[in-house]
Amino acid sequence: MKSWPEKKTWMCLSLVLTLHLCVFAGESLARPQVFVPDTISGYAIGGHDPVGYFVDNRPRQGDRRFEYEWGGAEWIFVNEGNLAAFQRDPEAYAPLFAGCGGYALSEGFAAAGNPFIYAIVEGKLVFFHSVVNRFLFLVNGTQLMKAAEENAEKVGCVPEL
């Protein structure tokens, strides 16, 4: 009878460990419950002014002179007025789901939303991972919004405030 080669033993152990991490580490690998700053700019939502989506109907790059810390991240704004509006009611302007993609959440998983692919849904700013995801979400907005809201906490897409 042939003996089991040592290389196969290590391969099997590696496979079992990988599967174990994938199955049991789900919660620890979930998205943090804060507005994650952009890795390049260091600011929430890539340094875009969240109020600008409502006032100018488009993303606008903020100015570092108008900074504000909220939701675990630094936010920057185009001007003093936008900063003041955000300070009065940050939850009205900050993207829903801590910036996670709305359609992905409706499907039960977290995906980073893109600040350039967005929609104002029920008066709230929602980001999406792709243009296709935005389209699919908007076609069935009411149903998918409810599903996204239900899944947001499960996958860690609710900011600590």
Side-chain angles (χ1 to χ4, degrees):
M1 184 170 172
K2 291 185 175 180
S3 66
W4 186 264
E6 187 176 337
K7 185 176 182 180
K8 284 186 180 179
T9 301
W10 285 111
M11 287 175 45
C12 287
L13 285 173
S14 296
L15 178 63
V16 168
L17 179 61
T18 301
L19 288 173
H20 177 76
L21 287 173
C22 291
V23 171
F24 296 108
E27 268 190 52
S28 63
L29 296 177
R31 189 177 190 283
Q33 292 186 327
V34 295
F35 285 91
V36 179
D38 178 65
T39 55
I40 296 171
S41 72
Y43 292 106
I45 65 173
H48 295 93
D49 180 343
V51 180
Y53 290 92
F54 296 90
V55 175
D56 303 314
N57 298 316
R58 65 185 174 98
R60 290 188 60 195
Q61 194 65 39
D63 185 325
R64 293 177 184 203
R65 292 179 297 163
F66 308 108
E67 282 188 20
Y68 182 65
E69 185 177 335
W70 180 80
E74 290 287 328
W75 301 74
I76 56 176
F77 303 87
V78 171
N79 56 42
E80 237 177 88
N82 286 11
L83 169 60
F86 189 84
Q87 287 174 324
R88 277 190 305 276
D89 193 3
E91 291 182 41
Y93 297 105
L96 273 182
F97 315 125
C100 289
Y103 182 77
L105 278 175
S106 72
E107 294 289 312
F109 61 93
N114 182 334
F116 292 104
I117 305 172
Y118 69 95
I120 306 295
V121 181
E122 298 175 7
K124 299 291 185 178
L125 177 61
V126 181
F127 290 155
F128 300 93
H129 180 71
S130 71
V131 175
V132 171
N133 285 359
R134 177 178 59 195
F135 173 78
L136 293 171
F137 191 86
L138 294 176
V139 168
N140 296 310
T142 304
Q143 288 177 317
L144 296 184
M145 180 65 113
K146 184 178 179 188
E149 288 170 345
E150 290 172 359
N151 291 328
E153 196 167 334
K154 295 176 192 172
V155 298
C157 288
V158 178
E160 292 177 354
L161 306 177

